[in-house]
Amino acid sequence: MASRFAGIVLAGGESRRFGSPKAFAKRDEIPFYQYSIDVLAPLCQLVIVVTRPELYQMFDEGEKKFKLMIDKEPYKGQGPLSGIYSAMDEVSAQWYIVLPTDVPFIEQWVCRQLMEQIDSEVDAVVPIVLGKEQPLIAIYHQSVKETIEKQLSRGRRSLKSLFEQIKVKYVQIDKEQPFRNINRPEDFL
């Protein structure tokens, strides 16, 4: 039987602007990826961290609060949609709460607020912060897996393109800090 909620942490980015894998940068001696896991773990039956093969060994599975995996073929390395699809294909759940690893200020109330907006009429719940969509801090229904796979099979990696094909509920959130994305070391100062 499928879980109600599974968490997906996207940790496969190349971190070109950061200069080293962002997932392992630290805030208060805690790796960025751990913040996303810690937010999701109390809300989800399972948390899946999706990463690239070359980063796989760098994750500390000591506490084993998550399942670690790499993108599935044939979509390996095709961006966030590939990570979301791979996790959905690996673990059965009704809803998937997605977080990236480069938001070390993320707070659990953000996910709870999105969870409160779930209803049978929507395929995804996506926050809008200061007028900007946040598709990588969002919740997706299991039904979008097939749409994502069709899109990836056509070489289309855009979340915007996905949103044109599914029913999205947008949620306005006024607090910017939890969504603060770290792209360069100086963004963290």
Side-chain angles (χ1 to χ4, degrees):
M1 184 172 143
S3 302
R4 177 130 163 85
F5 290 100
I8 301 174
V9 177
L10 299 172
E14 294 186 16
S15 306
R16 282 187 207 97
R17 291 176 285 179
F18 197 78
S20 63
K22 288 190 278 185
F24 307 104
K26 292 187 176 179
R27 178 182 147 230
D28 298 332
E29 299 306 309
I30 298 169
F32 282 10
Y33 76 86
Q34 193 63 52
Y35 286 99
S36 295
I37 291 169
D38 290 347
V39 162
L40 292 171
L43 304 174
C44 302
Q45 284 80 359
L46 178 66
V47 176
I48 308 109
V49 175
V50 187
T51 191
R52 296 182 322 215
E54 59 270 28
L55 300 181
Y56 192 91
Q57 298 301 324
M58 295 174 69
F59 282 88
D60 177 12
E61 292 186 271
E63 293 184 38
K64 201 59 178 160
K65 288 185 181 175
F66 58 94
K67 175 181 179 60
L68 186 62
M69 67 175 292
I70 57 173
D71 286 344
K72 293 191 169 190
E73 295 292 352
Y75 310 119
K76 189 183 286 183
Q78 292 192 29
L81 270 184
S82 175
I84 294 169
Y85 169 78
S86 295
M88 287 179 154
D89 196 51
E90 182 74 12
V91 174
S92 181
Q94 282 183 283
W95 293 93
Y96 297 85
I97 307 173
V98 175
L99 293 178
T101 57
D102 57 0
V103 287
F105 300 97
I106 190 68
E107 295 180 38
Q108 196 173 89
W109 67 262
V110 171
C111 294
R112 289 190 185 279
Q113 191 168 337
L114 297 176
M115 291 167 81
E116 289 169 5
Q117 298 301 315
I118 289 172
D119 66 53
S120 60
E121 301 296 313
V122 300
D123 299 317
V125 180
V126 178
I128 295 184
V129 181
L130 299 177
K132 187 174 181 212
E133 289 179 18
Q134 299 288 334
L136 300 183
I137 300 175
I139 302 179
Y140 296 89
H141 189 263
Q142 64 184 359
S143 62
V144 304
K145 178 183 158 195
E146 188 177 306
T147 306
I148 293 172
E149 184 176 25
K150 281 181 188 169
Q151 189 169 311
L152 286 170
S153 72
R154 295 181 183 127
R156 297 173 68 202
R157 304 176 188 177
S158 161
L159 282 146
K160 185 175 180 126
S161 178
L162 174 67
F163 290 174
E164 291 167 358
Q165 302 170 65
I166 65 174
K167 292 182 229 138
V168 180
K169 180 186 244 182
Y170 292 100
V171 179
Q172 295 286 339
I173 296 181
D174 296 331
K175 293 187 180 173
E176 184 182 14
Q177 182 70 356
F179 296 86
R180 197 167 140 208
N181 180 274
I182 308 299
N183 286 314
R184 298 172 189 83
E186 57 268 26
D187 293 343
F188 190 52
L189 302 174

